[in-house]
Amino acid sequence: YSSDFLMLLMCILTFGVMLAIFVLYYLISFIGLILNIRRTTKIIYTDMVTGGNNWLYFTKKGDKLLKKNRGKSNYAVIDFRMDKYRSFCTCFGVKEGEELLERFYLILKKQLKRKELLAHHDEADFGLLIIYAKEEDLLYRIGKMESDINRMMPQIKLYFRFGICLADNGDRDVDSLYNNATNALAMMPEDSEEKYAFYNSEKLREVILPDTCKKIYELVGQCTKPVVIF
């Protein structure tokens, strides 16, 4: 009987070792699969110029935020554009231009709050999805972002313009809102000294706000129609 018991014990131990090896193998494979998925996801959602989130991440995540926070938060989509970027690259080189965009991204990212997004779009254009309470507060935040970037390179004059589209409660497509903000910039005359272009979806017109926001808000308060200033 003792020999039979030893044989049974050996069989149990052998089965246990094989089962442990089997479980360990599949556990390692499962962990490897998760890591590979994360690496792949990171590659898919990473912008090759800035190293930050790309446009695919911005639109997918942004659509979810708009849907989830509908009626809870006021969102604005902004086309944050550096003018004369090609001139900068001509003077200092393409590599230096891309490094500049990477620094832009890091500065803008520090300004974001919870449930806000940022992504590099094309050339020197960045898309931002920002929560705001009042338009004055929104313009203040944009101005602070611009100021922080200019402080980064005080020896070089940088030029920026901003297309802004305020989202309605029914809006769920971040990409369309960004296109509206871009269209607002496109309607701005090339020789305009203004920086801010608001897209008016109701009238399909672009409201251009000058740097002196107080003055334009006084003008708007005196008018019953949208004010267009060039």
Side-chain angles (χ1 to χ4, degrees), residues 61-79:
K61 184 70 173 179
D63 291 348
K64 291 180 180 178
L65 285 175
L66 287 179
K67 182 178 179 180
K68 185 177 181 180
N69 295 282
R70 184 176 61 176
K72 300 177 183 177
S73 302
N74 295 324
Y75 273 104
V77 176
I78 302 164
D79 179 1

Side-chain angles (χ1 to χ4, degrees), residues 106-140:
L106 294 176
I107 291 175
L108 293 175
K109 186 178 180 181
K110 291 180 180 179
Q111 298 288 340
L112 295 185
K113 300 177 181 178
R114 186 170 173 268
K115 297 181 180 180
E116 295 184 340
L117 295 176
L118 161 69
H120 176 233
H121 183 258
D122 184 33
E123 284 198 353
D125 286 74
F126 290 84
L128 295 103
L129 180 64
I130 288 181
I131 297 174
Y132 72 98
K134 298 179 180 179
E135 292 181 19
E136 296 94 327
D137 300 330
L138 179 62
L139 293 175
Y140 174 81

Side-chain angles (χ1 to χ4, degrees), residues 170-210:
D171 290 326
R172 298 185 183 181
D173 188 348
V174 168
D175 199 50
S176 295
L177 294 173
Y178 179 83
N179 289 335
N180 290 342
T182 301
N183 289 335
L185 279 181
M187 295 298 293
M188 184 185 292
E190 293 184 2
D191 57 350
S192 174
E193 296 182 357
E194 312 304 342
K195 294 182 179 181
Y196 304 97
F198 272 77
Y199 181 85
N200 188 328
S201 59
E202 293 182 359
K203 300 295 182 180
L204 298 179
R205 302 175 67 184
E206 287 68 36
V207 181
I208 310 302
L209 297 182

Side-chain angles (χ1 to χ4, degrees):
Y1 293 103
S2 60
S3 60
D4 293 340
F5 176 75
L6 289 175
M7 185 176 292
L8 179 61
L9 182 61
M10 289 296 296
C11 290
I12 294 174
L13 290 174
T14 302
F15 177 78
V17 170
M18 292 179 64
L19 180 62
I21 293 174
F22 178 82
V23 171
L24 182 62
Y25 171 79
Y26 278 96
L27 180 61
I28 294 174
S29 299
F30 181 71
I31 294 174
L33 178 63
I34 292 176
L35 293 176
N36 287 334
I37 292 175
R38 288 184 176 180
R39 292 192 195 100
T40 303
T41 301
K42 185 176 181 181
I43 292 173
I44 292 175
Y45 289 134
T46 298
D47 180 70
M48 295 296 103
V49 176
T50 64
N53 295 326
N54 64 11
W55 200 249
L56 179 61
Y57 178 89
F58 183 81
T59 54
K60 283 183 171 292
K61 184 70 173 179
D63 291 348
K64 291 180 180 178
L65 285 175
L66 287 179
K67 182 178 179 180
K68 185 177 181 180
N69 295 282
R70 184 176 61 176
K72 300 177 183 177
S73 302
N74 295 324
Y75 273 104
V77 176
I78 302 164
D79 179 1
F80 194 111
R81 176 181 298 174
M82 174 187 172
D83 282 340
K84 303 183 180 180
Y85 174 70
R86 292 186 180 181
S87 299
F88 180 92
C89 292
T90 301
C91 294
F92 300 100
V94 175
K95 182 179 179 181
E96 286 72 14
E98 292 182 346
E99 290 177 351
L100 180 69
L101 296 181
E102 183 178 358
R103 296 167 72 182
F104 283 1
Y105 182 88
L106 294 176
I107 291 175
L108 293 175
K109 186 178 180 181
K110 291 180 180 179
Q111 298 288 340
L112 295 185
K113 300 177 181 178
R114 186 170 173 268
K115 297 181 180 180
E116 295 184 340
L117 295 176
L118 161 69
H120 176 233
H121 183 258
D122 184 33
E123 284 198 353
D125 286 74
F126 290 84
L128 295 103
L129 180 64
I130 288 181
I131 297 174
Y132 72 98
K134 298 179 180 179
E135 292 181 19
E136 296 94 327
D137 300 330
L138 179 62
L139 293 175
Y140 174 81
R141 288 190 64 189
I142 297 173
K144 189 176 186 306
M145 293 176 184
E146 180 187 12
S147 178
D148 288 347
I149 290 176
N150 282 321
R151 280 200 298 268
M152 175 188 70
M153 301 185 68
Q155 72 280 12
I156 300 177
K157 176 63 176 177
L158 300 177
Y159 299 89
F160 297 95
R161 289 191 299 168
F162 313 96
I164 305 169
C165 181
L166 306 180
D168 294 327
N169 286 333
D171 290 326
R172 298 185 183 181
D173 188 348
V174 168
D175 199 50
S176 295
L177 294 173
Y178 179 83
N179 289 335
N180 290 342
T182 301
N183 289 335
L185 279 181
M187 295 298 293
M188 184 185 292
E190 293 184 2
D191 57 350
S192 174
E193 296 182 357
E194 312 304 342
K195 294 182 179 181
Y196 304 97
F198 272 77
Y199 181 85
N200 188 328
S201 59
E202 293 182 359
K203 300 295 182 180
L204 298 179
R205 302 175 67 184
E206 287 68 36
V207 181
I208 310 302
L209 297 182
D211 293 339
T212 53
C213 299
K214 182 178 180 181
K215 180 179 178 181
I216 186 63
Y217 278 106
E218 290 175 353
L219 288 173
V220 173
Q222 297 172 4
C223 300
T224 58
K225 298 180 180 181
V227 178
V228 180
I229 298 181
F230 298 109

